[in-house]
Amino acid sequence: MINPMTSVFRLTIAGLVLSGSAALAQPVRAPAAAGDRPALEQQFRQRVAALAKERLALNDAQMTQLEQSNARFGPRLNQIAAQERETRRQLRLEMTATEPNQQHVSNLLDTSL
């Protein structure tokens, strides 16, 4: 008789191996020029949309709704991400300083939460 934990472990390992082999099967693309960022971002957005549609089993109407939501909330999410990066950068600088300003660290931690 197989221990239930052993079965779970084996299934987990099998899932990791299968997902890793699927990742390795992805086509290899040549690196693009540094000035081609907009095209790379467009390719990335298209690939993410295709994965979302496939994994969430969305129909065309649902994909349209998702794209509209992304367009509506995208700029705000980008702004929040930029603020979060800046807060983490300041916190990192403060924590690596020889004498960190405890009040500033406290404020940055409050901001991050």
Side-chain angles (χ1 to χ4, degrees):
M1 179 170 192
I2 297 177
N3 182 346
M5 286 300 289
T6 304
S7 297
V8 169
F9 179 73
R10 287 181 182 172
L11 287 173
T12 303
I13 295 299
L16 290 173
V17 168
L18 291 174
S19 66
S21 63
L24 292 175
Q26 297 294 320
V28 177
R29 295 185 179 105
D36 202 17
R37 183 179 177 119
L40 290 174
E41 288 177 350
Q42 180 62 27
Q43 287 176 355
F44 177 76
R45 282 190 296 273
Q46 289 172 344
R47 182 68 180 137
V48 168
L51 284 171
K53 185 173 184 175
E54 175 189 330
R55 291 187 181 173
L56 300 175
L58 300 177
N59 61 32
D60 289 339
Q62 291 169 324
M63 271 308 291
T64 301
Q65 285 180 327
L66 179 60
E67 290 167 356
Q68 290 171 348
S69 295
N70 286 342
R72 181 174 162 206
F73 294 110
R76 180 68 180 134
L77 289 174
N78 290 339
Q79 181 185 13
I80 291 170
Q83 289 171 346
E84 185 177 341
R85 278 192 305 274
E86 179 59 23
T87 300
R88 285 194 315 263
R89 186 190 68 76
Q90 288 181 15
L91 187 57
R92 191 176 312 113
L93 286 174
E94 207 54 64
M95 296 301 288
T96 57
T98 54
E99 292 186 31
N101 179 340
Q102 293 297 322
Q103 184 59 45
H104 191 220
V105 169
S106 177
N107 291 342
L108 289 170
L109 288 173
D110 289 343
T111 300
S112 69
L113 296 176

